[in-house]
Amino acid sequence: MDTLRHKAVMAVALVLSLFVLYTSAFGVLDALVQRSTFLALVVVLALLRYPLGAGKAWRPLGAVVDLALGLVAVGSCAWIATHSDQIMDSLPTAGLLEIAMAASLVLVILEMSRRTIGLIFPSMVLIGLLYALLGNYIPGRLGHRGFDIYFMTETLLLGDIGIWGSLLGVAATIIAVFSLFGSFLLHSGGGAAFMDIALRVSGRSTGGAAKIATIASGLFGMVSGSAVGNVATTGTFTIPLMKRLGYPAALAGAVEAVASTGGQLAPPIMGAAAFIMAEIISVDYVTIALAAILPAALFYIGVFGTVHVTAREQRLGQVPDDQIPAWESILKMHRLAPIACAFVGLGLGIANGNSIQTSAFFGIAGTVIGVAIGRLWPARGGDDETREPVTKQLRSALDDGANSLVVVGVLLAGAQILVAMINLTGIGVTLSSMIVGEATASVLAVGLIVALICMIMGMGIPTTAAYVLVAATLAPALVKVGVSPLAAHMFVFYFATLSVITPPVCVGVFVAAGIAGVGWTQVARHAVSLGAVTYVIPFLFLLYPGMLTPGSAVEYIEAALSGVVFVTAFAHLFGGAQITGRRVVDIPAWLGVALVAIYPHEAGLAVGIAAVLALMWLSRRRYPAANAC
């Protein structure tokens, strides 16, 4: 039975991948047809990958339940696809059949969310549905008039603002093809190439093993867009390496967890949330990616600097020479051609004015061409025998890319239900008004309140779901006090991302702790310290709007310099850099420099630059052996 199920998984994954590739290359179908077909395939694949009662005595009953759920989901999606013209051209009313389909689809989505993500997220969706139904029983400003089952069915099922809304639309088009793009790039050898580049670039420097984790996870994350996936992939190499070189297990796990988090913040892909942001604020994805460059650079400068200072202060080891690959092995054609051709294809598509999903298809085509070039290029070093057959590489890329869409598809279908209920009840506007009123309209005060609520609401759910939730309920509060929509959404996006490493529910930390073989609380403590700069970077969006959308080169440079001084001071502060050897003096000194640097005035910036250089010189004098680092 397991063999039969495995074959079914591969078959459905192949169909889903081919559907995504076809619609990316030749144009998407009508909205309801595209989204309902995608959801049907995702649900079937989820049922096959996450069977109810697997390995238990009552699995036969679970199989019957799974079959029923699959038939209901596919039947409902097929009905939507075949009636799409009627739904969009008229205002259909809900009857018993429509109510049954809506309830069944919601049930399937919640159950698939429970199996793939856990209980927290589907519980939040269920609370949103109950709030819409029973809001008239809630007193005060949080109450509303309430909506009956007929109106909710029409909202959820019979239109494109409920289940079939824009979030599922983004998942079925842009996110789907970029997931395949990342999978193709990594299975073509890009993942191994990123790791070897990181080893070569930073392996011999102070804290080389931790810097490898930072660089490799950043490179890997730029194409995978998944913090937890990053930890699970690169962490299996970097965490044991750091432990072998004398790094405490908790620190090793924390370095990997924090470095992997940055993958969601760094262009060109940034994960699903960035595409959703572009959809919500009605800008093209390139605008989001360009805006994210400087903040992502500051994040990695801060993490890299903290790692370096920590390694210097704790005398942590370097990577042995025999574990560092030679440039000759890294720069082979079969390793570089897929990466180069992939980004050339993506860039040409964008430059040609194609849609972002068609450009991603060109990137996939470029990857395949790069693999072919690498195979045809004369090999040196006799490593042809170690390479997988091309057909196996391509099949693995299609399988993994489709399987990664299971969580994304189910997650965004559930998130779309929640957002529809938030918009229907107006709770987002209500919360924004309450926050602005409590904060007396101060931008920083509103930002602080929003940040705290973001981290609380984002705990235990994936970044994409966390972003969707806080974007719908909290970003409007920042917009109300004069923050631009782009800055407001980038602000909540960063704090939604931080849920991966923020205790008490920090999934990235949990995975890293498992690999490191140490308690997660110890890893979390180090992770918060290493990633401390990330908790402040979003506030720079409020102080320096030019950081995201520069009105002039001077404005952008000022924001960049201020950010670099700030993250450098923070890196030395949380890395434990000593100036006098007395923490009661050293901590206020580094903190003071950081605060002066982010004060939005030329004088403060000048003082900050001079002060951080002076303190770095004093700190390095205590460690002559590290001066060459």
Side-chain angles (χ1 to χ4, degrees):
M1 189 65 181
D2 284 342
T3 303
L4 180 61
R5 184 161 59 84
H6 177 68
K7 290 181 178 179
V9 168
M10 294 179 66
V12 177
L14 181 61
V15 172
L16 177 56
S17 295
L18 293 178
F19 171 74
V20 171
L21 290 175
Y22 176 83
T23 55
S24 299
F26 300 104
V28 298
L29 308 177
D30 290 340
L32 292 186
V33 177
Q34 176 85 19
R35 297 168 191 181
S36 58
T37 304
F38 175 78
L39 182 61
L41 290 169
V42 163
V43 167
V44 172
L45 189 55
L47 289 167
L48 291 169
R49 277 184 55 88
Y50 302 92
L52 184 64
K56 298 181 180 178
W58 53 274
R59 169 57 191 156
L61 176 60
V64 173
V65 173
D66 284 350
L67 180 61
L69 292 176
L71 290 175
V72 165
V74 171
S76 300
C77 290
W79 189 90
I80 292 296
T82 54
H83 290 75
S84 60
D85 289 340
Q86 177 186 342
I87 291 171
M88 297 307 296
D89 293 341
S90 62
L91 296 173
T93 56
L96 292 180
L97 174 63
E98 289 78 12
I99 291 173
M101 285 193 296
S104 300
L105 265 181
V106 169
L107 175 64
V108 171
I109 291 169
L110 292 179
E111 171 60 11
M112 292 302 98
S113 298
R114 183 194 67 79
R115 296 189 198 180
T116 57
I117 303 167
L119 274 172
I120 296 177
F121 178 67
S123 297
M124 295 176 71
V125 177
L126 184 59
I127 289 171
L129 289 166
L130 292 174
Y131 177 69
L133 276 171
L134 307 174
N136 55 312
Y137 295 104
I138 300 175
R141 295 181 64 183
L142 294 178
H144 61 83
R145 67 183 179 87
F147 302 93
D148 62 30
I149 193 67
Y150 294 94
F151 188 81
M152 286 186 62
T153 297
E154 291 162 8
T155 300
L156 288 172
L157 188 74
L158 302 178
D160 59 354
I161 60 173
I163 296 173
W164 319 113
S166 60
L167 297 186
L168 185 60
V170 174
T173 53
I174 299 174
I175 295 173
V177 71
F178 268 94
S179 293
L180 287 176
F181 174 63
S183 182
F184 268 82
L185 189 56
L186 296 176
H187 279 277
S188 70
F194 291 154
M195 184 64 72
D196 285 349
I197 290 170
L199 272 167
R200 185 66 198 181
V201 168
S202 61
R204 291 192 176 94
S205 64
T206 299
K211 291 176 180 175
I212 289 168
T214 305
I215 296 174
S217 296
L219 292 173
F220 196 89
M222 287 179 188
V223 295
S224 74
S226 168
V228 178
N230 269 8
V231 176
T233 305
T234 59
T236 55
F237 172 82
T238 58
I239 292 175
L241 175 61
M242 284 186 272
K243 289 174 66 178
R244 285 200 305 270
L245 296 175
Y247 287 66
L251 177 60
V255 168
E256 179 58 43
V258 173
S260 293
T261 300
Q264 297 175 110
L265 307 173
I269 294 181
M270 297 176 62
F275 296 108
I276 296 169
M277 187 191 304
E279 181 74 17
I280 291 174
I281 62 176
S282 301
V283 300
D284 57 82
Y285 173 72
V286 175
T287 300
I288 303 293
L290 291 175
I293 290 175
L294 180 53
L298 294 177
F299 169 85
Y300 276 107
I301 291 171
V303 174
F304 204 87
T306 306
V307 162
H308 176 83
V309 174
T310 301
R312 185 187 70 188
E313 296 293 326
Q314 298 185 21
R315 301 292 201 274
L316 299 176
Q318 301 175 0
V319 179
D321 287 347
D322 59 2
Q323 294 187 31
I324 298 178
W327 280 117
E328 291 76 10
S329 66
I330 297 174
L331 299 178
K332 288 184 176 180
M333 181 60 69
H334 75 270
R335 307 193 73 184
L336 294 184
I339 299 174
C341 291
F343 285 105
V344 167
L346 179 65
L348 287 176
I350 294 173
N352 193 45
N354 295 104
S355 66
I356 192 69
Q357 59 263 34
T358 302
S359 300
F361 174 81
F362 290 156
I364 293 172
T367 307
V368 176
I369 292 171
V371 170
I373 292 173
R375 295 293 173 140
L376 296 174
W377 194 270
R380 294 181 176 82
D383 60 350
D384 271 342
E385 297 179 0
T386 65
R387 297 190 227 167
E388 284 185 322
V390 174
T391 53
K392 186 176 180 181
Q393 279 184 299
L394 295 179
R395 186 56 186 268
S396 296
L398 289 170
D399 286 346
D400 287 354
N403 288 328
S404 69
L405 289 177
V406 170
V407 175
V408 171
V410 169
L411 170 66
L412 288 181
Q416 182 63 64
I417 294 172
L418 183 57
V419 169
M421 296 302 98
I422 289 171
N423 292 335
L424 184 65
T425 60
I427 184 63
V429 175
T430 301
L431 285 176
S432 296
S433 299
M434 292 171 67
I435 291 170
V436 171
E438 292 297 325
T440 62
S442 165
V443 173
L444 289 179
V446 170
L448 182 60
I449 294 172
V450 168
L452 291 173
I453 299 176
C454 280
M455 287 188 286
I456 293 170
M457 293 174 70
M459 288 180 183
I461 59 176
T463 299
T464 303
Y467 167 70
V468 170
L469 182 59
V470 299
T473 56
L474 299 175
L478 289 168
V479 175
K480 272 194 170 187
V481 292
V483 179
S484 71
L486 177 58
H489 281 263
M490 285 291 285
F491 185 92
V492 299
F493 172 50
Y494 262 69
F495 280 105
T497 300
L498 285 169
S499 64
V500 177
I501 60 170
T502 303
V505 184
C506 34
V507 184
V509 167
F510 294 160
V511 175
I515 298 173
V518 68
W520 72 268
T521 54
Q522 301 172 57
V523 178
R525 181 171 58 84
H526 285 288
V528 170
S529 178
L530 287 171
V533 66
T534 322
Y535 292 88
V536 186
I537 285 176
F539 286 94
L540 296 181
F541 306 159
L542 309 181
L543 294 171
Y544 291 94
M547 179 175 285
L548 301 177
T549 52
S552 66
V554 173
E555 210 174 66
Y556 195 72
I557 292 171
E558 182 182 351
L561 287 174
S562 177
V564 168
V565 174
F566 166 75
V567 298
T568 300
F570 245 53
H572 283 76
L573 170 63
F574 286 93
Q578 299 184 42
I579 305 168
T580 65
R582 291 180 294 174
R583 299 296 287 168
V584 70
V585 175
D586 296 346
I587 290 176
W590 290 116
L591 185 60
V593 170
L595 294 177
V596 168
I598 62 173
Y599 180 72
H601 192 278
E602 291 82 356
L605 177 58
V607 171
I609 292 173
V612 79
L613 291 175
L615 293 183
M616 287 174 64
W617 178 75
L618 290 172
S619 176
R620 288 166 66 89
R621 285 189 63 191
R622 298 178 60 86
Y623 299 94
N627 282 347
C629 299

